[in-house]
Amino acid sequence: MDDVPNRTTPNMLDDSAMRTPPMERLSLFEIVTQHLREMILEGELSPGSRISEKQLCDTFEVSRTPLREALKVLAREGLVELLPNRGARVTEIDPQEVIDLFEVMVVLEGLSGSLLASRAKETDIDEIRSLHQRMMGHYQRHERVQYFKLNQQIHQRLTEIAGNSVLLELEASLSLKIARARYAANMQLGRWEESAREHEHILAALESRDGDMLSIAMRLHMRRTGDAVVKALTRD
C-alpha cells in the first residue's frame, strides 16, 4: 500500500508504557491487541493472509501468551479467524456485507448530524475545529496514514458529542467492521481530495448549528465513502 511508512517495532516494555499512569496502564496483551489491530486495519496484514505467531512474537518482543490473547479479542471483533490447530488468519472483506453496513451507517450519520447541531457545546465545536485543522495539515503534506487516523477520531468524537449512547454503541461496532475498507478507499487520491472537501462542509454546518445541513453533509459523506469502498472492492 502506497505512502504507508514502515512500522517502528514496538517495544512493549519501553518508556512509553512505563510512563503511563497506573490507573491507565494497559496490560501487555492489550498493547499487543492495539498494534495488531492497527496492522490489520491499515492493510499491513492483508485480508486472507495467515498470521505468523513466531514472526509477530519477534516483532513485538513478547511470548505467545499475550499474542494469543490478542488474537482472541480480534476474532471477537471479526478481524481475525481462529483456525483449529492451524493458527489464525486475517478475515476476508465481504463486499455485500460492506454494502449493507454502509446503508445503515448513512442513516446513523444523518441522525448524528441532527443531534449534533443542538447538543454540541462551543468547546465541542472548538475541539472538532482543532482536530479538523490538524487533519487538513496532514492532507496538505500528503500524510495519508496520519490523516486517516485523525479522520476516524473526528467521526468518533462527533458521535460521542451527539450524546446518544445507543447510537454510539451501534456506530462503534459497525465502524470497526468497515475500517479496513474505508482505509483502502481513502488511499485513492481522488476520493481523498473529495473526502477532505466534505469534511470542510461538515465543519461549516456544525459551526452554524444547521441541523438539516449537517445531517445532509454527514449522510452524503458516508454514502460517497461507501460508494468508493465498494468500487475498490469489486473492481476487476
Side-chain angles (χ1 to χ4, degrees):
M1 185 172 295
D2 60 332
D3 292 339
V4 179
N6 292 330
R7 179 179 298 277
T8 302
T9 301
N11 184 338
M12 298 306 169
L13 300 178
D14 67 7
D15 54 24
S16 63
M18 297 303 293
R19 286 198 302 268
T20 305
M23 292 299 292
E24 300 178 10
R25 188 173 298 160
L26 298 177
S27 66
L28 188 56
F29 99 85
E30 288 174 325
I31 299 173
V32 174
T33 302
Q34 285 186 349
H35 283 289
L36 191 53
R37 184 185 293 114
E38 288 180 3
M39 293 173 73
I40 295 172
L41 296 181
E42 296 174 9
E44 191 170 339
L45 292 175
S46 58
S49 63
R50 293 292 294 269
I51 293 175
S52 170
E53 290 189 5
K54 182 180 185 307
Q55 182 177 350
L56 288 175
C57 285
D58 292 341
T59 298
F60 296 145
E61 299 180 2
V62 297
S63 68
R64 290 181 184 268
T65 299
L67 177 61
R68 287 176 175 172
E69 288 299 313
L71 289 174
K72 291 178 182 177
V73 172
L74 298 179
R76 290 195 293 270
E77 294 177 356
L79 296 176
V80 165
E81 179 184 4
L82 301 179
L83 306 172
N85 303 316
R86 292 183 291 135
R89 68 182 172 199
V90 180
T91 55
E92 298 279 2
I93 300 176
D94 180 357
Q96 185 57 54
E97 181 184 25
V98 172
I99 292 172
D100 295 343
L101 287 168
F102 271 106
E103 286 181 350
V104 176
M105 288 293 292
V106 167
V107 176
L108 295 180
E109 285 291 281
L111 173 59
S112 182
S114 298
L115 296 175
L116 276 164
S118 60
R119 295 184 178 180
K121 301 176 183 177
E122 287 302 317
T123 53
D124 295 327
I125 296 176
D126 289 342
E127 178 189 1
I128 296 300
R129 186 186 299 113
S130 176
L131 290 172
H132 174 82
Q133 291 170 349
R134 287 170 53 198
M135 183 183 72
M136 293 305 293
H138 291 308
Y139 169 72
Q140 292 162 2
R141 293 188 296 272
H142 305 288
E143 297 168 344
R144 299 188 184 188
V145 175
Q146 295 89 334
Y147 173 94
F148 181 75
K149 288 181 177 180
L150 266 179
N151 181 297
Q152 295 293 88
Q153 185 177 347
I154 289 172
H155 279 283
Q156 180 178 340
R157 283 298 295 135
L158 287 173
T159 306
E160 291 171 349
I161 294 167
N164 185 300
S165 61
V166 176
L167 175 63
L168 179 61
E169 183 179 354
L170 283 172
E171 285 217 5
S173 63
L174 298 181
S175 293
L176 189 59
K177 291 178 178 293
I178 60 177
R180 282 185 294 171
R182 289 185 67 180
Y183 184 88
N186 274 334
M187 292 300 100
Q188 303 171 48
L189 184 58
R191 176 55 196 158
W192 191 23
E193 294 171 349
E194 185 180 59
S195 176
R197 289 195 301 270
E198 290 163 6
H199 268 272
E200 294 278 8
H201 296 318
I202 290 172
L203 177 61
L206 177 62
E207 290 175 330
S208 64
R209 294 185 179 276
D210 187 330
D212 291 339
M213 186 59 65
L214 184 54
S215 179
I216 291 171
M218 292 180 68
R219 288 201 314 266
L220 181 62
H221 174 63
M222 186 59 66
R223 184 166 65 248
R224 287 179 173 172
T225 299
D227 290 344
V229 167
V230 172
K231 182 178 180 180
L233 290 175
T234 58
R235 68 171 179 258
D236 294 333

